[in-house]
Amino acid sequence: MEKITLPKASKLTSPNPVTIVCTQKPDGSTNLATVSWWTYLSFNPSMIAYAMAKTSYSGEMVRSNKKVILTIPGAEIAEAVMGCGSTTGRDTDKIAKFGIEMQTVEDSDIQIPLHSRVAIQCSLKEFIETGDHYLYICNVEQVYGNEAEEAVYAWNGYSQIRPAK
């Protein structure tokens, strides 16, 4: 084996999970941000975690509102998922810009993309500084699924978003 960089390792471990972090903006609208790392932490109690850059606008919204919905996007919105990961919601309406159809979730003001395989509705338990990112640890309040949607994954160091076929 040879020494490599961590970004190179991410290419070698493809495909990697990808999710859209859905948060509520101060005006009540929904913001979408693509993240490349999330995981289940516990099934009893139900908890998940995900990481976002410290500068992330969505991270700021989660720290402020304490509410978030993570969705596993469907193949139909793969291109939009990539766009949501390379654009800030601080001054852009990503839903309009990328033409993403949205739907409501019971007991939440945060909307989610219509083409989602899974939606995990959470409240923020705590966040921890991890270098240039924060690790968000969340209590799961409700989970929704749609087996008809085909999940997408990040490939080649997160340079492509597509199904695992």
Side-chain angles (χ1 to χ4, degrees):
M1 293 190 88
E2 63 181 86
K3 287 184 180 180
I4 60 173
T5 64
L6 196 54
K8 171 89 182 213
S10 74
K11 289 181 180 183
L12 296 178
T13 59
S14 290
N16 297 296
V18 66
T19 190
I20 296 179
V21 174
C22 306
T23 58
Q24 188 175 35
K25 291 182 169 186
D27 68 2
S29 66
T30 297
N31 187 55
L32 307 175
T34 305
V35 298
S36 56
W37 187 88
W38 75 277
T39 191
Y40 301 101
L41 291 179
S42 172
F43 293 130
N44 188 20
S46 296
M47 296 173 68
I48 62 166
Y50 65 96
M52 293 186 91
K54 286 181 179 178
T55 57
S56 165
Y57 180 63
S58 288
E60 185 181 316
M61 295 300 96
V62 172
R63 292 189 306 275
S64 172
N65 302 332
K66 311 288 190 240
K67 297 288 182 185
V68 64
I69 301 176
L70 271 66
T71 65
I72 308 308
E76 195 155 323
I77 60 170
E79 248 181 76
V81 171
M82 189 66 111
C84 286
S86 60
T87 307
T88 179
R90 193 175 306 278
D91 52 19
T92 303
D93 178 348
K94 296 181 195 182
I95 295 165
K97 181 175 182 167
F98 299 111
I100 302 170
E101 289 180 78
M102 301 296 284
Q103 65 181 319
T104 58
V105 175
E106 190 176 323
D107 297 325
S108 179
D109 292 329
I110 301 170
Q111 292 187 320
I112 65 168
L114 177 63
H115 296 288
S116 297
R117 182 167 173 91
V118 172
I120 306 170
Q121 188 176 350
C122 302
S123 60
L124 179 65
K125 180 178 184 344
E126 62 183 299
F127 65 98
I128 301 166
E129 183 177 348
T130 55
D132 58 355
H133 282 62
Y134 286 127
L135 176 67
Y136 293 88
I137 299 171
C138 299
N139 294 312
V140 174
E141 295 176 347
Q142 193 59 254
V143 182
Y144 304 91
N146 181 352
E147 291 185 37
E149 291 289 343
E150 183 178 21
V152 292
Y153 298 86
W155 294 83
N156 299 322
Y158 310 103
S159 65
Q160 298 175 356
I161 305 289
R162 61 183 171 83
K165 287 185 178 179

